[in-house]
Amino acid sequence: MLRRGHGLINTSKPCPAALLYRRHTIPGLRLGLRLYSSDTEPPHNVAILGGGITGLGSAYYLTKELPNVRVTIYEASDRIGGWLSSKRVPVKDGTILFEAGPRTLRPNGNGVLSARLLQELDLAKDAIFAQRTSPAARNRYVYYPDHLVRMPHPSVGIAENLWSLFTEPVFSGTPWGIVSEFFTPARDPSVDDESVGDFYSRRIGRNAVDRLMSGVLHGIYAGDAWQLSAKSLFPAQWRDEAELGGVVAGMIKSQTDGRRVTRHEREFLREMKKYEWDPLLMATLKDNTVFTLKDGLQGLVDGLARHLVGKGNVEFKTSSPVASVKLARAGIDVTAQGSEQSENYRHVISALSPSHLNQVAKHPHSESTAAHLVPTIPSVTVMTVNLYYRTPDLHPPGFGYLIPQATPFENNPERALGVVFDTAYSPSPKDLDFANWQITDTQQLQQAREQGQLINVNDFAWYNMPNRPNTQDDVKERGTKMTVMLGGHWWSEWPAFPDEQEGLALAKSVLQRHLNITEEPEAYQVNVQKDCIPQYTVGHEDRLKKAHNKLWSEYKGRLRVAGNWMSGVGVNDCLRSAWDVVRSIRDGTDGTGLEQVGTSEYVRLKARRPGEGVKEVERDTTRQPGQAGLMMEMLWTDPQTMPGRGPSKRGVGLQFGPDVTKRFCEKNGLEAVIRSHEVRMEGYETDDMNRMYGFEGECKAKYNERVFKLFSESFSALPLATLIGDKYLTLHHG
Ligand SMILES: C=Cc1c2[nH]c(c1C)Cc1[nH]c(c(CCC(=O)O)c1C)Cc1[nH]c(c(C)c1CCC(=O)O)Cc1[nH]c(c(C)c1C=C)C2
């Protein structure tokens, strides 16, 4: 039986726009294919090439989805984890943690997978969550042309945001560009892809690219806005222009009709929705933008490794670079370097970079690029320089700053990409100090935790209360910790990279010029991450489609690829590609790991109208709201004058400050929340209540018995919460 999905993807230049995303299957190629079947083959064994986060994630999902599987991980170096690498270094009064690579994870989008790992690997107790209200979430800066400019944020107020928008050169022309984008004609349909720079300068204006967007692209891809692909990096906007005339039109449509996603994505979202979260972790994640771990993201690697070793069916082969992978009569043969003998596996998941994969999958006698299994995907090298200074608060409060491409050379001769204020992501001894907490009653904190509530005693959501929060730096008085990011596309043409001392000198020089820091760092670490970020340059999607076709025709679904070179360069994206590839193996779906590239099957998610979350709350038919859940919270939560959240005086629910109400209203598009003043011990409105408030008499006097009956029946049927005109949320509160 032929199954969906293993058809070859059309990579030829499209003629009419309608053909753009169509896949072509070539029936002839399918004839004679022996598709694997789980009933007839020996127990499932899978080799994973590469022990970075993608490889570890793949092993993790394999052992979860196919419990009887045997997994072998081949890793060339003597350590696993790849670019994720955290080191504790000594300073005068203790130790601090430096991250060489990624340092924080977002729990949204694909990040739901890393958030799930917190729960499944029991890592939430080691996590540090940065609140939405924390400086790290609210203060983001761009360095242009010679000073830091804070990006607009609702928390600073309309006046300040507008002032900045109309006076700072970094925004010059952008507000008007966004307004006029609506009226800008769509691109010529024959254009199959273009750079992000070309796309956005056509739609919004060149300044928006050079002064803003290029900075954001530095922060994610360390890449060049004029080379990265608009179609691959901004697929929704790229399609919106073609189909709706523009990016703003697309945003409006998403608001009114719902966000557009691929069918595959919708399935993923549905599956994620079904997940059973620990209520406290859920509450924590909702209020946070990013999280990290007390021992850095290395903690995630260690957690995965511990879990996999404990499983007993996963073998780690470190210091074992792979020499070749070859399709065999049954399965696929993998030979490690220096080994005479190959091992046979039913499937191989390659978590290697494309160039590395080409080396191990190449035909022994062919050197030509045409013989490459996957096309070359360029990548950039990033140098991260971690610095620790004794003096605290050497930077303004916030995430850090990005340096856009238009920053004049004399203000950035080192060609830095940005600076991360690591201090903002982890509690300091000051935050640990009881005296500075908003709530100090540990008994209350303990009780609240037991009831699945999160209480913010400061900027870091406190998952493991009443215990002290986690912190990365174990020092008496914390100084300032920062990371200077250098390299990326700026270094692509450089004949050689700076060495450690040169890197340190470059980083210090950046900080002296931009932040006036002249002090010598007490500790530092220079890390060169060679070819660490793949560049999705113009034509990326087409290259991936070609790779899919070649992989399919040469390996018939036995060799599948995952990693950061296909549809997202972050840790979360790596986990997602691992998840997808394992699912397709589990389900026996034919594929290569690239079968979703350029899919044209889009659907719209249901639009979330203002306050819809509230409407979705089902009425509790048992007439008892219980001790947990949203119904309970709506019933028993009370306002408090202090900002943030606090334990409820009632012993159930919690208290919330005016900032929480404001955020809730903003998020749900509400004008106000109206709460009744009286708590009814019975918990629900009853006919008695109508009588008590004199409604019965008034109604009968003004109208008649029938009208009263009708109203009291309606009241009894009213939900505890209702929306009036989509603007006012009324809560009976009793
Ligand atoms: C270490 C260098 C990295 C640079 N880009 C990435 C890494 C690991 C990958 C990356 N960075 C970000 C994303 C977006 C989504 C996400 O997964 O968080 C990705 C895929 C955003 C980001 N960039 C920086 C930080 C601290 C974050 C995440 C946290 C946040 O948004 O609050 C800083 C940063 N990274 C790089 C540069 C040049 C840079 C400069 C300040 C390159």
Side-chain angles (χ1 to χ4, degrees):
M1 189 180 80
L2 292 177
R3 277 164 284 175
R4 187 190 63 79
H6 70 278
L8 301 192
I9 299 175
N10 181 14
T11 55
S12 60
K13 286 266 173 243
C15 310
L19 274 179
L20 241 155
Y21 297 94
R22 222 171 84 195
R23 278 141 190 272
H24 287 245
T25 50
I26 303 178
L29 268 175
R30 290 176 173 171
L31 294 176
L33 287 185
R34 203 176 71 77
L35 301 173
Y36 56 89
S37 124
S38 46
D39 332 320
T40 53
E41 297 201 12
H44 216 140
N45 62 350
V46 180
I48 294 173
L49 314 186
I53 189 68
T54 309
L56 294 174
S58 304
Y60 177 76
Y61 297 128
L62 275 171
T63 55
K64 238 172 115 86
E65 301 298 340
L66 298 164
N68 296 324
V69 75
R70 278 186 291 113
V71 180
T72 308
I73 302 176
Y74 290 85
E75 166 55 45
S77 77
D78 58 357
R79 66 172 283 276
I80 52 167
W83 194 20
L84 289 174
S85 162
S86 326
K87 266 198 200 106
R88 203 158 270 294
V89 298
V91 288
K92 277 183 201 136
D93 55 347
T95 62
I96 54 152
L97 188 99
F98 280 153
E99 288 279 16
R103 55 213 57 231
T104 51
L105 295 175
R106 290 184 169 276
N108 54 357
N110 289 339
V112 69
L113 292 174
S114 54
R116 280 175 62 153
L117 286 180
L118 285 187
Q119 181 164 320
E120 289 160 18
L121 301 174
D122 194 24
L123 291 175
K125 61 179 179 4
D126 300 332
I128 297 166
F129 300 94
Q131 284 286 102
R132 281 185 195 286
T133 46
S134 70
R138 289 175 9 171
N139 301 347
R140 288 161 179 272
Y141 302 89
V142 167
Y143 186 86
Y144 183 84
D146 57 1
H147 60 278
L148 294 191
V149 182
R150 190 181 154 166
M151 291 295 102
H153 190 274
S155 64
V156 288
I158 294 177
E160 200 177 313
N161 281 335
L162 283 177
W163 176 255
S164 170
L165 276 176
F166 289 102
T167 56
E168 284 292 350
V170 69
F171 300 118
S172 171
T174 298
W176 173 243
I178 293 173
V179 174
S180 55
E181 197 273 345
F182 194 76
F183 306 99
T184 305
R187 68 175 175 269
D188 181 329
S190 68
V191 179
D192 188 40
D193 193 2
E194 67 184 323
S195 75
V196 174
D198 287 326
F199 178 70
Y200 276 107
S201 57
R202 250 190 329 98
R203 304 242 35 102
I204 297 179
R206 183 149 184 153
N207 281 353
V209 174
D210 285 338
R211 302 182 186 186
L212 281 167
M213 193 151 277
S214 64
V216 176
L217 296 177
H218 279 169
I220 301 175
Y221 299 92
D224 178 0
W226 300 93
Q227 293 191 25
L228 293 166
S229 152
K231 189 177 179 179
S232 292
L233 267 57
F234 296 95
Q237 291 74 4
W238 180 256
R239 287 178 69 91
D240 285 343
E241 184 191 40
E243 290 169 22
L244 303 169
V247 175
V248 173
M251 277 162 62
I252 296 170
K253 184 107 173 137
S254 289
Q255 286 295 315
T256 54
D257 297 9
R259 193 161 64 90
R260 188 160 49 170
V261 295
T262 60
R263 248 176 230 289
H264 181 67
E265 197 56 26
R266 186 179 62 181
E267 289 318 305
F268 175 74
L269 293 172
R270 281 188 179 157
E271 178 141 12
M272 291 302 118
K273 220 173 167 184
K274 285 191 245 150
Y275 188 65
E276 271 185 46
W277 289 98
D278 157 19
L280 185 61
L281 180 59
M282 188 57 180
T284 310
L285 293 168
K286 271 191 180 159
D287 265 2
N288 290 276
T289 51
V290 293
F291 64 87
T292 183
L293 296 165
K294 67 176 185 209
D295 292 319
L297 291 191
Q298 179 77 48
L300 185 62
V301 172
D302 297 345
L304 279 164
R306 258 196 317 271
H307 175 91
L308 294 173
V309 168
K311 279 273 163 194
N313 52 350
V314 180
E315 185 187 359
F316 285 88
K317 289 193 180 204
T318 48
S319 306
S320 297
V322 169
S324 72
V325 282
K326 286 196 189 108
L327 190 66
R329 257 171 56 81
I332 185 160
D333 288 340
V334 175
T335 315
Q337 265 178 33
S339 168
E340 299 282 288
Q341 201 142 18
S342 63
E343 308 264 351
N344 183 266
Y345 298 91
R346 196 179 317 171
H347 284 105
V348 171
I349 298 175
S350 165
L352 303 173
S353 68
S355 59
H356 202 161
L357 176 60
N358 280 334
Q359 278 167 27
V360 301
K362 83 172 174 211
H363 293 284
H365 307 297
S366 171
E367 288 301 324
S368 86
T369 48
H372 282 175
L373 182 63
V374 289
T376 309
I377 310 275
S379 55
V380 294
T381 295
V382 173
M383 178 181 264
T384 59
V385 184
N386 309 111
L387 300 133
Y388 180 75
Y389 294 95
R390 175 67 18 210
T391 309
D393 306 323
L394 285 176
H395 56 67
F399 139 96
Y401 64 93
L402 296 161
I403 310 174
Q405 286 181 237
T407 299
F409 180 79
E410 61 274 21
N411 294 331
N412 185 27
E414 301 81 8
R415 291 308 199 190
L417 300 159
V419 175
V420 181
F421 302 158
D422 296 301
T423 345
Y425 287 108
S426 171
S428 70
K430 246 193 256 165
D431 297 308
L432 301 189
D433 187 349
F434 225 52
N436 298 322
W437 294 10
Q438 283 168 26
I439 292 159
T440 51
D441 184 336
T442 45
Q443 233 179 338
Q444 269 190 358
L445 292 171
Q446 177 79 55
Q447 268 175 10
R449 191 200 148 88
E450 278 157 19
Q451 285 157 16
Q453 292 165 26
L454 171 81
I455 295 186
N456 298 323
V457 294
N458 57 27
D459 279 337
F460 302 95
W462 220 295
Y463 179 82
N464 47 352
M465 60 196 168
N467 296 333
R468 279 153 63 94
N470 295 312
T471 178
Q472 292 188 332
D473 305 322
D474 191 10
V475 282
K476 284 198 194 77
E477 291 269 324
R478 192 175 55 177
T480 307
K481 191 168 69 164
M482 282 182 276
T483 305
V484 179
M485 308 279 186
L486 299 151
H489 71 99
W490 292 126
W491 285 6
S492 294
E493 306 297 317
W494 288 21
F497 302 132
D499 64 18
E500 184 176 305
Q501 282 313 307
E502 287 163 344
L504 176 65
L506 288 172
K508 287 198 315 196
S509 153
V510 169
L511 294 182
Q512 176 162 7
R513 187 175 318 96
H514 296 174
L515 298 175
N516 249 337
I517 299 176
T518 49
E519 165 178 339
E520 276 304 302
E522 193 177 312
Y524 70 86
Q525 182 178 280
V526 180
N527 324 278
V528 179
Q529 312 283 3
K530 202 141 181 342
D531 293 326
C532 60
I533 309 187
Q535 301 292 291
Y536 301 177
T537 53
V538 175
H540 181 73
E541 187 180 294
D542 235 33
R543 285 191 283 277
L544 293 187
K545 286 178 180 176
K546 283 197 183 113
H548 167 79
N549 289 347
K550 196 118 195 229
L551 263 164
W552 177 258
S553 58
E554 295 202 6
Y555 286 92
K556 320 289 185 243
R558 300 288 183 175
L559 172 62
R560 296 174 192 230
V561 290
N564 64 355
W565 55 276
M566 40 203 71
S567 46
V569 298
V571 172
N572 289 333
D573 308 308
C574 292
L575 289 172
R576 175 64 194 278
S577 74
W579 165 278
D580 281 344
V581 90
V582 167
R583 289 281 152 142
S584 70
I585 292 178
R586 180 200 68 178
D587 299 341
T589 325
D590 310 324
T592 59
L594 296 169
E595 61 274 15
Q596 294 302 327
V597 173
T599 179
S600 55
E601 298 167 282
Y602 276 81
V603 286
R604 281 201 185 270
L605 297 177
K606 205 170 121 248
R608 271 188 99 73
R609 310 241 333 267
E612 199 155 30
V614 175
K615 274 185 192 162
E616 279 167 11
V617 178
E618 274 172 31
R619 196 163 178 211
D620 192 329
T621 49
T622 63
R623 299 208 139 214
Q624 275 305 324
Q627 293 294 302
L630 195 52
M631 237 2 167
M632 177 281 294
E633 280 182 23
M634 290 208 295
L635 258 180
W636 299 118
T637 47
D638 287 310
Q640 65 179 24
T641 44
M642 227 171 39
R645 294 179 187 175
S648 160
K649 286 181 284 227
R650 303 172 194 281
V652 57
L654 51 100
Q655 295 198 163
F656 56 92
D659 55 327
V660 177
T661 311
K662 189 162 172 273
R663 272 206 312 276
F664 178 83
C665 287
E666 277 167 10
K667 203 167 156 190
N668 288 289
L670 297 171
E671 294 284 325
V673 178
I674 304 165
R675 304 167 67 251
S676 86
H677 60 288
E678 182 74 5
V679 178
R680 305 298 307 161
M681 293 320 286
E682 306 90 298
Y684 283 83
E685 185 135 59
T686 64
D687 294 352
D688 290 350
M689 201 161 128
N690 296 328
R691 234 162 262 133
M692 195 173 88
Y693 284 135
F695 179 71
E696 182 180 11
E698 200 182 323
C699 195
K700 282 182 182 166
K702 267 198 187 165
Y703 305 100
N704 54 41
E705 179 85 34
R706 255 191 70 225
V707 171
F708 170 68
K709 204 161 163 278
L710 192 80
F711 269 101
S712 35
E713 273 168 16
S714 321
F715 284 152
S716 293
L718 266 183
L720 277 172
T722 192
L723 269 172
I724 303 174
D726 274 349
K727 281 203 166 151
Y728 300 94
L729 169 66
T730 66
L731 297 172
H732 285 220
H733 199 248

